[in-house]
Amino acid sequence: MARPRKPLLSTDRIVETARDLVDREGLAAVSTRRLAAELGVSGPSLYNHFRTKDEILEAVADSVSALVDLAMFEDGRDWRTALHDWAVSYRAALRDHPNIVPVLARGPGRRPAALHLADAVYGAMVDAGWTPAQATSIGALMRYFIMGSALGSFAGGFVDDASAYDPADYPRLGQAHLLAEQQEKIDERAFETGLTALLDGLAQQYEQAGQDVQQ
């Protein structure tokens, strides 16, 4: 009886396995030896696809960038709606894979999906009438905001022990121990509040720039 064949080693399989490992245990867990064990192959076989651990992590980061929806920049949505919908999609991808955010935060480097993302945002803003300098600033601003929101949970940072908030020391934190149990709701609401404020500010600048051109 023929022995079952092991799945062929491929770049996609290595990246998927590495991403799962990062999700479960963090960046420090990734090594060629550990990945080889997870994949059921010998360590040297990985070098046919990646030369270093850093290359693997870059590929994992790019696989997460590839999860971000960019359709809103191509289907006729106005620039503000497109930025909002893209930010929500981007944050969702980072929320699902938070441990890779420090790698993504370094910038796109040579990663294809990340560069495609940057190109889509920049191009959409220029096409909407922002100057190239303004479009660059908007892309940077959005990235700071989205990645910052993904680096940690505000609500989750408060312990659920009421005794930690002695009213003699913290008279206004009497309900702080309840924040953790509503973490997702509070963090989502905070993100939407900040995103709306950010977009309102950009819309005001956009309108003012249009008025200045007409004068």
Side-chain angles (χ1 to χ4, degrees), residues 10 42 46 60 95 103 157 167 188:
S10 66
S42 62
L46 297 178
V60 170
R95 183 190 58 211
V103 179
E188 288 289 339

Side-chain angles (χ1 to χ4, degrees), residues 13-164:
R13 186 169 166 237
I14 295 170
V15 171
E16 182 178 351
T17 301
R19 186 174 62 225
D20 290 344
L21 184 57
V22 171
D23 287 345
R24 295 195 317 267
E25 302 182 30
L27 295 172
V30 179
S31 68
T32 53
R33 178 179 297 180
R34 178 68 187 279
L35 271 178
E38 294 274 333
L39 290 160
V41 299
S42 62
S45 63
L46 297 178
Y47 295 118
N48 294 323
H49 301 270
F50 296 99
R51 292 175 298 177
T52 66
K53 168 186 170 178
D54 285 343
E55 282 191 0
I56 296 172
L57 291 177
E58 288 287 309
V60 170
D62 212 38
S63 75
V64 173
S65 293
L67 299 174
V68 181
D69 185 14
L70 300 176
M72 64 285 297
F73 296 120
E74 302 169 354
D75 62 9
R77 274 173 261 190
D78 65 271
W79 69 265
R80 176 181 173 142
T81 301
L83 273 184
H84 175 277
D85 296 347
W86 166 71
V88 170
S89 177
Y90 199 171
R91 180 172 180 267
L94 301 187
R95 183 190 58 211
D96 291 342
H97 305 281
N99 291 336
I100 199 64
V101 171
V103 179
L104 286 164
R106 300 171 190 165
R110 296 177 181 272
R111 300 193 297 270
L115 289 169
H116 184 60
L117 184 155
D119 181 73
V121 176
Y122 175 80
M125 295 305 100
V126 170
D127 290 346
W130 293 95
T131 68
Q134 290 169 329
T136 300
S137 295
I138 290 170
L141 171 64
M142 296 297 290
R143 194 169 75 89
Y144 297 153
F145 176 70
I146 297 165
M147 289 199 175
S149 74
L151 284 173
S153 165
F154 171 81
F158 290 85
V159 298
D160 60 357
D161 179 2
S163 67

Side-chain angles (χ1 to χ4, degrees), residues 145-204:
F145 176 70
I146 297 165
M147 289 199 175
S149 74
L151 284 173
S153 165
F154 171 81
F158 290 85
V159 298
D160 60 357
D161 179 2
S163 67
Y165 309 101
D166 188 328
D169 296 320
Y170 316 109
R172 296 175 180 83
L173 296 182
Q175 302 297 307
H177 63 288
L178 302 176
L179 291 174
E181 67 183 34
Q182 301 182 56
Q183 175 179 330
E184 184 173 352
K185 178 181 178 181
I186 292 170
D187 289 345
E188 288 289 339
R189 188 171 61 209
F191 179 76
E192 279 292 340
T193 299
L195 182 57
T196 297
L198 188 157
L199 294 174
D200 283 348
L202 288 176
Q204 186 175 10

